[in-house]
Structure formats: C-alpha cells, structure tokens
Amino acid sequence: MSSQATEVVRLLTVRGETLAVAESLTGGLVAAEITSVPGASKVFRGSVTAYATELKHGLLGVDATVLAQRGAVDPQVASQMAVGVRKVLGADWGIATTGVAGPEPQDGKPVGTVFVAVDGPLTDRPGSAAGGKVEALRLNGSRAEIRMESVRSVLTALLEQLAGEQTGNERAQDTERNGGF
C-alpha cells in the first residue's frame, strides 16, 4: 500500500465522498493499490478494467468515433473513461488510465505514452476540478515500471484535485492531525 493510496482514502473519508476507477494499461493495479488500504470500503465503489477497446465504448461510454479515429491511447479517451466510470458506478470521483506499456507501440503511439484522468464534482470553489483533468505522460522503463508509474501518476492527479478542493474545516482538521495549529 502506498502513502498516496492511504492519503486518497483518508481525504475521501473526511469528505464523505466516493471513488471509482477505470483502467486499461494498469489492468487493475490502481484498484488493488486503493483496496490495500484499511478502510477503503468506506470510499471505494469499484472499478472497470476495460483492456479491450470495444469495452471502453460498451461499458464506459467512450465515444466510438473518437476510438475509431484516434485509438484507445488518447487524452479524450482517458477523460471519457473517468467520466464514464464515475457515472456507471455512481461515484463522486472517477479516475482513469490508458496508454502503452509495451513491448510494442499501439495505435501509432510509442511505448511509454500514457494518459491519466480525473473527473470530479463540479463546484464553485477555487481550485475545483471543474469536471475533469487529463495529464499526458511520457514514461521510460520496463512494462512493469511504466504501469507502476501510471498508478502513481493517477493517484497524484487525484490527490492534487482533492487537496485543491479542501474546505477550511478540512484543512484545520489536517493541521491538528499533523501537530500544527
């Protein structure tokens, strides 16, 4: 269990919010990381591992035209996966991974091309996710290293959105827990 996953579970618990995960290249590693944290059942709704391209459309509602024109490794696909899993599993937050871990390029994209996405509730608070965020990554290393860095990156992206949306009361609770004032 990573400190990132622990912090995701902690923040979602404090906020009373839930999470759903859509994965492609990570093949369930994100969900495994989150569920390794004690208490994850309070916030984790579930996951969809849509490895096959047609499942991205059929299960998650990714636009078939986008998939046909751009392939599965695309920022818009990542975004739509996060939106789709959030909707399908009834969660406050959705995160998604899609990319090429290797050993061969896919859809004309080189190994190490990864997109991670976060979709969250629309709010009027400063720093709101405003519905969603996608990050493009260019990773090096072995297949396993690319997959693990993708897990770390999507959890980091979610943490950034969650931390940006903390209310004053949640920040006060964090400060008290960490010995501050």
Side-chain angles (χ1 to χ4, degrees):
M1 131 186 60
S2 72
S3 60
Q4 290 172 307
T6 300
E7 186 65 3
V8 163
V9 170
R10 188 191 71 73
L11 283 174
L12 288 171
T13 300
V14 165
R15 296 164 65 103
E17 294 177 337
T18 57
L19 174 66
V21 176
E23 300 185 66
S24 186
L25 85 148
T26 50
L29 292 173
V30 177
E33 193 68 19
I34 293 165
T35 58
S36 71
V37 177
S41 61
K42 294 175 189 166
V43 299
F44 188 65
R45 296 280 300 154
S47 66
V48 173
T49 301
Y51 213 65
T53 299
E54 67 270 12
L55 294 179
K56 291 172 181 65
H57 170 69
L59 294 176
L60 299 172
V62 175
D63 186 298
T65 303
V66 171
L67 288 167
Q69 291 176 350
R70 301 183 188 177
V73 182
D74 182 82
Q76 195 170 350
V77 171
S79 177
Q80 289 182 19
M81 287 173 66
V83 169
V85 79
R86 183 176 168 224
K87 181 179 176 183
V88 168
L89 299 184
D92 297 301
W93 292 89
I95 58 176
T97 63
T98 188
V100 185
E104 300 295 323
Q106 177 186 335
D107 298 330
K109 306 287 189 332
V111 172
T113 302
V114 175
F115 298 97
V116 298
V118 176
D119 185 66
L122 290 172
T123 71
D124 57 2
R125 293 190 295 245
S128 168
K133 177 182 180 180
V134 178
E135 291 184 11
L137 308 171
R138 183 67 181 102
L139 305 175
N140 295 309
S142 68
R143 178 176 172 81
E145 290 167 334
I146 290 169
R147 294 174 76 214
M148 289 312 298
E149 182 59 23
S150 299
V151 171
R152 189 198 67 72
S153 295
V154 77
L155 292 176
T156 297
L158 176 58
L159 282 171
E160 288 170 359
Q161 294 301 312
L162 289 170
E165 290 198 352
Q166 281 188 304
T167 65
N169 185 46
E170 290 165 343
R171 285 194 183 118
Q173 289 174 2
D174 284 347
T175 301
E176 289 171 16
R177 279 191 202 104
N178 293 316
F181 34 108

